[in-house]
Amino acid sequence: MLLTLLFSMSVALLIFLLCLGFIKKYVVPQSTFQKRLNSINDLNTVDASRIINNMHTKREQEKDDLSFYNRVINPLIGKLERNFFELTPSSLAGTIQQKLTVAGLKKKLSVGGFSIIWAIFVCFATYFAYRYTTLNVLTPIQIVLWLLLGAVAGGILPIIILHSVIAKRQAKILRQLPEVLDLMCVSVQAGLTFDAAVKKIVQRAHGPLIDELREVLDDMSMGVARRQALKSMAKRCEVPELSLFVSSIIQAEHLGTSISNTLTIQADNMRERRRQSIKEEALKAPIKILFPLVIFIFPALFVVILVPLILNLIKQF
Protein backbone atom coordinates (compact mmCIF):
# COMPACT_ATOMS: atom_id res chain seq x y z
CA MET A 1 0.00 0.00 0.00
CA LEU A 2 2.81 2.40 0.93
CA LEU A 3 4.79 1.54 -2.22
CA THR A 4 1.71 2.18 -4.38
CA LEU A 5 1.22 5.60 -2.70
CA LEU A 6 4.87 6.59 -3.21
CA PHE A 7 4.77 5.45 -6.86
CA SER A 8 1.60 7.49 -7.48
CA MET A 9 3.15 10.60 -5.88
CA SER A 10 6.32 10.21 -7.96
CA VAL A 11 4.35 9.88 -11.19
CA ALA A 12 2.23 12.92 -10.28
CA LEU A 13 5.34 14.97 -9.47
CA LEU A 14 6.95 13.95 -12.77
CA ILE A 15 3.85 14.93 -14.75
CA PHE A 16 3.73 18.27 -12.88
CA LEU A 17 7.37 19.04 -13.69
CA LEU A 18 6.87 18.15 -17.38
CA CYS A 19 3.81 20.38 -17.60
CA LEU A 20 5.62 23.23 -15.82
CA GLY A 21 8.57 23.01 -18.19
CA PHE A 22 6.28 22.96 -21.23
CA ILE A 23 4.36 26.02 -19.97
CA LYS A 24 7.51 28.01 -19.26
CA LYS A 25 8.99 27.17 -22.65
CA TYR A 26 6.06 27.48 -25.03
CA VAL A 27 3.08 29.13 -23.27
CA VAL A 28 4.46 32.09 -21.30
CA PRO A 29 5.07 34.98 -23.74
CA GLN A 30 8.30 36.92 -23.70
CA SER A 31 7.19 40.28 -22.35
CA THR A 32 9.18 43.48 -22.73
CA PHE A 33 10.19 43.32 -19.11
CA GLN A 34 11.61 39.82 -19.53
CA LYS A 35 13.46 40.84 -22.68
CA ARG A 36 14.99 43.73 -20.75
CA LEU A 37 16.08 41.36 -17.97
CA ASN A 38 17.58 38.99 -20.53
CA SER A 39 19.57 41.82 -22.07
CA ILE A 40 20.76 42.88 -18.62
CA ASN A 41 21.91 39.33 -17.86
CA ASP A 42 24.21 39.51 -20.92
CA LEU A 43 26.05 42.42 -19.31
CA ASN A 44 28.58 42.03 -16.55
CA THR A 45 27.35 41.73 -12.97
CA VAL A 46 28.32 45.22 -11.84
CA ASP A 47 26.59 46.99 -14.72
CA ALA A 48 23.53 44.76 -14.39
CA SER A 49 23.13 45.46 -10.68
CA ARG A 50 23.63 49.19 -11.27
CA ILE A 51 20.99 49.24 -14.03
CA ILE A 52 18.54 47.26 -11.87
CA ASN A 53 19.06 49.64 -8.95
CA ASN A 54 18.53 52.63 -11.23
CA MET A 55 15.37 51.05 -12.62
CA HIS A 56 14.08 50.36 -9.11
CA THR A 57 14.88 53.91 -7.97
CA LYS A 58 13.23 55.40 -11.03
CA ARG A 59 10.15 53.24 -10.50
CA GLU A 60 9.92 54.33 -6.86
CA GLN A 61 10.28 57.98 -7.87
CA GLU A 62 7.51 57.58 -10.42
CA LYS A 63 5.30 56.06 -7.74
CA ASP A 64 6.08 58.94 -5.41
CA ASP A 65 5.36 61.47 -8.16
CA LEU A 66 2.00 59.83 -8.81
CA SER A 67 1.02 59.72 -5.13
CA PHE A 68 -1.93 61.76 -3.87
CA TYR A 69 0.30 63.76 -1.52
CA ASN A 70 2.63 64.95 -4.30
CA ARG A 71 -0.21 65.59 -6.77
CA VAL A 72 -2.67 67.41 -4.50
CA ILE A 73 -1.59 68.09 -0.93
CA ASN A 74 1.99 69.27 -1.51
CA PRO A 75 1.09 71.83 -4.24
CA LEU A 76 -1.82 73.09 -2.10
CA ILE A 77 0.46 73.60 0.91
CA GLY A 78 3.02 75.37 -1.27
CA LYS A 79 0.37 77.71 -2.66
CA LEU A 80 -0.93 78.50 0.83
CA GLU A 81 2.61 79.21 2.06
CA ARG A 82 3.22 81.61 -0.84
CA ASN A 83 -0.07 83.41 -0.20
CA PHE A 84 0.58 83.79 3.54
CA PHE A 85 4.16 84.91 2.82
CA GLU A 86 2.83 87.66 0.57
CA LEU A 87 0.41 88.75 3.32
CA THR A 88 3.18 88.90 5.94
CA PRO A 89 4.87 92.34 6.27
CA SER A 90 8.42 92.41 4.94
CA SER A 91 9.97 93.56 8.22
CA LEU A 92 8.12 90.88 10.18
CA ALA A 93 8.99 88.23 7.56
CA GLY A 94 12.70 88.95 8.01
CA THR A 95 12.41 88.62 11.80
CA ILE A 96 10.49 85.35 11.51
CA GLN A 97 13.05 83.98 9.06
CA GLN A 98 15.88 84.84 11.44
CA LYS A 99 14.07 83.18 14.37
CA LEU A 100 13.42 80.04 12.32
CA THR A 101 17.10 79.94 11.34
CA VAL A 102 18.21 80.26 14.97
CA ALA A 103 15.74 77.52 15.94
CA GLY A 104 17.20 75.20 13.29
CA LEU A 105 13.90 75.06 11.36
CA LYS A 106 15.06 76.88 8.24
CA LYS A 107 14.86 73.76 6.05
CA LYS A 108 11.73 72.37 7.71
CA LEU A 109 9.47 75.41 8.02
CA SER A 110 9.15 78.54 5.88
CA VAL A 111 7.86 81.97 6.82
CA GLY A 112 4.57 81.20 5.08
CA GLY A 113 4.29 77.90 6.95
CA PHE A 114 4.84 79.63 10.29
CA SER A 115 2.21 82.23 9.32
CA ILE A 116 -0.23 79.40 8.58
CA ILE A 117 0.45 77.82 11.98
CA TRP A 118 0.03 81.23 13.65
CA ALA A 119 -3.32 81.78 11.90
CA ILE A 120 -4.51 78.29 12.91
CA PHE A 121 -3.65 78.97 16.57
CA VAL A 122 -5.46 82.30 16.47
CA CYS A 123 -8.57 80.76 14.88
CA PHE A 124 -8.73 77.87 17.35
CA ALA A 125 -8.16 80.06 20.40
CA THR A 126 -10.81 82.53 19.22
CA TYR A 127 -13.22 79.66 18.56
CA PHE A 128 -12.75 78.24 22.06
CA ALA A 129 -13.26 81.69 23.53
CA TYR A 130 -16.44 82.04 21.49
CA ARG A 131 -17.67 78.64 22.70
CA TYR A 132 -17.04 79.75 26.28
CA THR A 133 -19.08 82.92 25.75
CA THR A 134 -21.98 80.92 24.26
CA LEU A 135 -22.05 78.52 27.22
CA ASN A 136 -22.15 81.33 29.79
CA VAL A 137 -24.37 84.37 30.20
CA LEU A 138 -22.09 87.35 29.62
CA THR A 139 -22.51 90.99 28.76
CA PRO A 140 -21.48 92.20 25.26
CA ILE A 141 -18.37 93.86 26.67
CA GLN A 142 -17.33 90.63 28.36
CA ILE A 143 -17.90 88.69 25.13
CA VAL A 144 -15.70 91.11 23.21
CA LEU A 145 -12.99 90.92 25.89
CA TRP A 146 -13.04 87.12 25.86
CA LEU A 147 -12.75 87.04 22.07
CA LEU A 148 -9.85 89.50 22.17
CA LEU A 149 -8.20 87.46 24.92
CA GLY A 150 -8.53 84.26 22.85
CA ALA A 151 -7.07 85.92 19.75
CA VAL A 152 -4.15 87.37 21.70
CA ALA A 153 -3.45 84.04 23.44
CA GLY A 154 -3.55 82.19 20.13
CA GLY A 155 -1.18 84.72 18.58
CA ILE A 156 1.32 84.63 21.45
CA LEU A 157 1.43 80.84 21.92
CA PRO A 158 3.32 79.99 18.64
CA ILE A 159 5.87 82.71 19.41
CA ILE A 160 6.39 81.30 22.91
CA ILE A 161 6.86 77.80 21.47
CA LEU A 162 9.36 79.12 18.90
CA HIS A 163 11.38 80.91 21.59
CA SER A 164 11.33 77.75 23.69
CA VAL A 165 12.73 75.75 20.76
CA ILE A 166 15.43 78.41 20.25
CA ALA A 167 16.41 78.33 23.95
CA LYS A 168 16.67 74.53 23.98
CA ARG A 169 18.79 74.49 20.82
CA GLN A 170 21.12 77.20 22.13
CA ALA A 171 21.50 75.27 25.39
CA LYS A 172 22.47 72.13 23.44
CA ILE A 173 25.01 74.11 21.40
CA LEU A 174 26.49 75.65 24.54
CA ARG A 175 26.66 72.23 26.22
CA GLN A 176 28.37 70.66 23.21
CA LEU A 177 30.83 73.50 22.50
CA PRO A 178 33.56 72.57 25.07
CA GLU A 179 33.65 68.95 23.87
CA VAL A 180 33.92 70.02 20.22
CA LEU A 181 36.70 72.46 21.09
CA ASP A 182 38.62 69.71 22.91
CA LEU A 183 38.29 67.43 19.87
CA MET A 184 39.43 70.23 17.57
CA CYS A 185 42.40 70.97 19.80
CA VAL A 186 43.48 67.32 19.89
CA SER A 187 43.03 66.92 16.13
CA VAL A 188 45.01 70.07 15.29
CA GLN A 189 47.79 69.11 17.71
CA ALA A 190 47.90 65.70 16.00
CA GLY A 191 48.81 67.40 12.71
CA LEU A 192 45.48 68.04 11.01
CA THR A 193 44.49 71.40 9.62
CA PHE A 194 41.52 73.26 11.03
CA ASP A 195 39.27 72.31 8.11
CA ALA A 196 40.33 68.65 8.29
CA ALA A 197 39.70 68.60 12.04
CA VAL A 198 36.22 70.03 11.57
CA LYS A 199 35.52 67.49 8.83
CA LYS A 200 36.66 64.62 11.05
CA ILE A 201 34.43 65.82 13.92
CA VAL A 202 31.43 66.19 11.61
CA GLN A 203 31.88 62.62 10.37
CA ARG A 204 31.97 61.12 13.87
CA ALA A 205 29.57 63.22 15.97
CA HIS A 206 26.03 64.55 15.82
CA GLY A 207 24.05 67.39 17.33
CA PRO A 208 22.98 70.96 16.53
CA LEU A 209 26.53 72.32 16.68
CA ILE A 210 27.72 69.52 14.39
CA ASP A 211 24.96 70.43 11.93
CA GLU A 212 26.16 74.03 11.93
CA LEU A 213 29.78 72.94 11.36
CA ARG A 214 28.59 70.73 8.49
CA GLU A 215 26.92 73.75 6.94
CA VAL A 216 30.17 75.68 7.36
CA LEU A 217 32.00 72.98 5.41
CA ASP A 218 29.31 73.07 2.72
CA ASP A 219 29.68 76.86 2.41
CA MET A 220 33.45 76.55 2.16
CA SER A 221 33.14 73.85 -0.52
CA MET A 222 30.95 76.30 -2.50
CA GLY A 223 33.75 78.90 -2.45
CA VAL A 224 32.82 80.96 0.61
CA ALA A 225 35.78 82.18 2.65
CA ARG A 226 36.35 80.51 6.01
CA ARG A 227 35.88 83.68 8.05
CA GLN A 228 32.62 84.48 6.28
CA ALA A 229 31.32 80.93 6.79
CA LEU A 230 32.19 81.08 10.49
CA LYS A 231 30.54 84.49 10.87
CA SER A 232 27.40 83.13 9.23
CA MET A 233 27.41 80.22 11.69
CA ALA A 234 27.69 82.60 14.66
CA LYS A 235 24.83 84.68 13.25
CA ARG A 236 22.65 81.59 12.77
CA CYS A 237 23.17 80.37 16.34
CA GLU A 238 23.21 83.65 18.33
CA VAL A 239 25.22 82.06 21.14
CA PRO A 240 27.71 84.52 22.75
CA GLU A 241 30.26 81.80 23.55
CA LEU A 242 30.21 80.53 19.96
CA SER A 243 30.58 84.10 18.67
CA LEU A 244 33.62 84.52 20.94
CA PHE A 245 35.14 81.32 19.57
CA VAL A 246 34.54 82.43 15.96
CA SER A 247 36.09 85.85 16.66
CA SER A 248 39.20 84.23 18.16
CA ILE A 249 39.63 81.90 15.16
CA ILE A 250 39.23 84.79 12.69
CA GLN A 251 41.68 86.91 14.68
CA ALA A 252 44.22 84.06 14.80
CA GLU A 253 43.91 83.59 11.06
CA HIS A 254 44.25 87.33 10.44
CA LEU A 255 47.32 87.75 12.68
CA GLY A 256 48.93 84.48 11.63
CA THR A 257 49.16 83.04 15.14
CA SER A 258 48.95 79.35 15.97
CA ILE A 259 45.42 77.98 15.72
CA SER A 260 46.41 75.13 18.06
CA ASN A 261 47.23 77.55 20.88
CA THR A 262 44.07 79.52 20.18
CA LEU A 263 41.95 76.37 20.36
CA THR A 264 43.64 75.32 23.60
CA ILE A 265 42.94 78.70 25.20
CA GLN A 266 39.35 78.71 23.96
CA ALA A 267 38.77 75.14 25.19
CA ASP A 268 40.00 76.06 28.67
CA ASN A 269 37.94 79.25 28.60
CA MET A 270 34.76 77.43 27.55
CA ARG A 271 35.30 74.74 30.17
CA GLU A 272 35.70 77.39 32.86
CA ARG A 273 32.58 79.19 31.64
CA ARG A 274 30.62 75.96 31.81
CA ARG A 275 31.90 75.28 35.31
CA GLN A 276 30.83 78.74 36.43
CA SER A 277 27.37 78.34 34.86
CA ILE A 278 26.93 75.03 36.70
CA LYS A 279 27.91 76.70 39.98
CA GLU A 280 25.47 79.51 39.26
CA GLU A 281 22.65 77.03 38.67
CA ALA A 282 23.56 75.21 41.87
CA LEU A 283 23.37 78.46 43.84
CA LYS A 284 19.93 79.15 42.38
CA ALA A 285 18.61 75.77 43.57
CA PRO A 286 17.74 76.84 47.17
CA ILE A 287 15.72 79.81 45.88
CA LYS A 288 13.92 77.69 43.28
CA ILE A 289 13.04 74.99 45.79
CA LEU A 290 11.52 77.57 48.15
CA PHE A 291 8.26 77.82 46.14
CA PRO A 292 7.50 74.06 46.11
CA LEU A 293 8.27 73.98 49.85
CA VAL A 294 5.84 76.79 50.65
CA ILE A 295 3.08 75.61 48.28
CA PHE A 296 3.18 71.81 48.62
CA ILE A 297 5.39 70.55 51.48
CA PHE A 298 4.73 73.02 54.32
CA PRO A 299 0.90 72.70 54.15
CA ALA A 300 1.18 68.92 54.34
CA LEU A 301 3.52 69.19 57.35
CA PHE A 302 1.15 71.62 59.06
CA VAL A 303 -1.75 69.23 58.52
CA VAL A 304 0.17 66.26 59.91
CA ILE A 305 1.55 68.14 62.93
CA LEU A 306 -1.14 70.69 63.85
CA VAL A 307 -4.38 68.79 63.13
CA PRO A 308 -3.88 66.23 65.95
CA LEU A 309 -3.05 69.06 68.39
CA ILE A 310 -6.13 70.99 67.37
CA LEU A 311 -8.33 67.91 67.77
CA ASN A 312 -6.92 67.24 71.24
CA LEU A 313 -7.55 70.83 72.28
CA ILE A 314 -11.13 70.59 71.01
CA LYS A 315 -11.71 67.42 73.06
CA GLN A 316 -10.29 68.98 76.22
CA PHE A 317 -12.35 72.13 76.03
Side-chain angles (χ1 to χ4, degrees):
M1 184 68 182
L2 182 60
L3 294 175
T4 304
L5 180 61
L6 292 175
F7 177 77
S8 301
M9 292 178 62
S10 302
V11 172
L13 181 60
L14 180 61
I15 294 172
F16 174 77
L17 293 175
L18 290 174
C19 293
L20 182 62
F22 179 81
I23 291 172
K24 283 187 175 181
K25 188 173 182 180
Y26 297 105
V27 178
V28 178
Q30 292 291 327
S31 63
T32 56
F33 181 71
Q34 288 174 337
K35 290 180 180 179
R36 190 175 300 171
L37 287 179
N38 292 332
S39 63
I40 290 173
N41 289 330
D42 295 334
L43 300 174
N44 55 50
T45 307
V46 178
D47 293 337
S49 61
R50 180 173 55 83
I51 293 173
I52 291 174
N53 291 330
N54 291 335
M55 290 170 57
H56 180 71
T57 304
K58 186 176 180 180
R59 193 179 299 112
E60 292 295 331
Q61 290 178 355
E62 291 176 353
K63 290 181 180 179
D64 292 338
D65 293 337
L66 294 176
S67 63
F68 179 78
Y69 178 80
N70 289 328
R71 286 188 293 107
V72 179
I73 299 178
N74 199 13
L76 181 60
I77 293 175
K79 187 176 180 179
L80 288 174
E81 288 181 354
R82 288 191 296 271
N83 292 333
F84 273 87
F85 178 76
E86 292 175 357
L87 294 173
T88 305
S90 58
S91 58
L92 186 60
T95 304
I96 294 174
Q97 184 63 50
Q98 177 63 21
K99 293 297 182 182
L100 292 176
T101 302
V102 177
L105 302 174
K106 180 178 65 174
K107 297 181 180 179
K108 299 179 181 179
L109 188 63
S110 63
V111 177
F114 182 80
S115 300
I116 293 173
I117 294 173
W118 182 83
I120 291 173
F121 270 87
V122 171
C123 292
F124 271 96
T126 308
Y127 172 75
F128 286 127
Y130 173 75
R131 291 293 299 173
Y132 176 78
T133 57
T134 56
L135 295 175
N136 297 277
V137 180
L138 301 175
T139 62
I141 297 177
Q142 291 176 337
I143 293 174
V144 173
L145 289 177
W146 272 105
L147 293 177
L148 289 176
L149 181 62
V152 171
I156 293 176
L157 188 59
I159 300 174
I160 294 175
I161 295 173
L162 181 60
H163 280 280
S164 177
V165 173
I166 291 173
K168 289 181 180 179
R169 187 170 185 268
Q170 289 177 340
K172 289 180 180 179
I173 291 174
L174 186 59
R175 193 181 306 115
Q176 197 175 15
L177 184 58
E179 300 174 0
V180 172
L181 286 179
D182 288 336
L183 292 175
M184 283 185 186
C185 182
V186 172
S187 301
V188 171
Q189 289 178 352
L192 295 178
T193 61
F194 179 79
D195 299 343
V198 173
K199 186 176 181 180
K200 185 68 68 176
I201 293 171
V202 167
Q203 291 175 352
R204 297 176 179 268
H206 58 86
L209 182 57
I210 303 302
D211 296 336
E212 294 295 335
L213 292 175
R214 186 179 292 108
E215 192 165 350
V216 168
L217 293 177
D218 293 339
D219 291 342
M220 293 171 60
S221 64
M222 295 295 291
V224 181
R226 181 198 296 172
R227 62 179 64 187
Q228 187 61 39
L230 290 174
K231 286 181 180 179
S232 299
M233 180 184 67
K235 186 178 179 181
R236 288 193 302 268
C237 296
E238 293 185 356
V239 177
E241 288 79 4
L242 184 61
S243 300
L244 179 62
F245 161 70
V246 169
S247 300
S248 63
I249 293 296
I250 293 174
Q251 185 177 6
E253 182 182 4
H254 181 69
L255 298 177
T257 58
S258 175
I259 294 182
S260 176
N261 295 333
T262 303
L263 288 174
T264 303
I265 295 172
Q266 288 298 316
D268 295 338
N269 188 14
M270 294 301 169
R271 202 178 298 107
E272 183 64 27
R273 281 173 174 265
R274 186 174 180 181
R275 190 180 297 111
Q276 290 177 358
S277 65
I278 292 173
K279 289 181 179 179
E280 183 180 355
E281 293 296 328
L283 292 175
K284 290 180 181 178
I287 300 175
K288 290 181 179 180
I289 204 173
L290 182 62
F291 298 98
L293 282 173
V294 173
I295 297 173
F296 300 105
I297 299 176
F298 284 167
L301 290 176
F302 290 154
V303 169
V304 172
I305 296 173
L306 295 179
V307 168
L309 295 177
I310 294 173
L311 293 175
N312 290 329
L313 290 175
I314 292 173
K315 289 180 181 179
Q316 291 177 1
F317 294 99

